[in-house]
Amino acid sequence: MFKIFKKKSKEECMCQKYTYLMHKAYKLALIDKEKSDRMNQRAKKILKELRRMHYSEVENWSTDSK
């Protein structure tokens, strides 16, 4: 009923951070390509960690290289 009291799992927090970084990298690509690439690399590290942890939601996102 109250989602404010529900604690998020580590995987959910990492998922949110990945989504945030990818969104930010997409917006930065129009302004500063180097910063965008660095954010994209950070996001890919998180994605790799989520895949290593076998988080099921990851497979629904994309089929990027591992």
Side-chain angles (χ1 to χ4, degrees):
M1 185 171 162
F2 294 104
K3 290 189 178 188
I4 58 172
F5 298 118
K6 183 181 176 192
K7 184 170 172 96
K8 292 182 181 176
S9 68
K10 182 177 180 182
E11 291 88 359
E12 289 172 329
C13 291
M14 290 175 72
C15 181
Q16 278 187 333
K17 188 169 184 176
Y18 169 80
T19 304
Y20 170 77
L21 287 172
M22 287 302 286
H23 181 70
K24 193 85 163 166
Y26 177 76
K27 285 191 170 191
L28 273 173
L30 301 172
I31 301 166
D32 189 354
K33 180 70 172 143
E34 288 180 25
K35 282 185 182 179
S36 174
D37 289 343
R38 279 184 269 154
M39 281 226 184
N40 204 345
Q41 285 301 107
R42 286 175 52 197
K44 287 190 180 213
K45 284 181 184 178
I46 292 173
L47 180 63
K48 192 180 287 186
E49 181 69 20
L50 284 168
R51 282 191 174 141
R52 189 185 66 76
M53 295 166 62
H54 301 293
Y55 187 54
S56 62
E57 294 295 315
V58 172
E59 301 309 320
N60 297 334
W61 294 341
S62 67
T63 55
D64 291 339
S65 63
K66 292 182 182 177

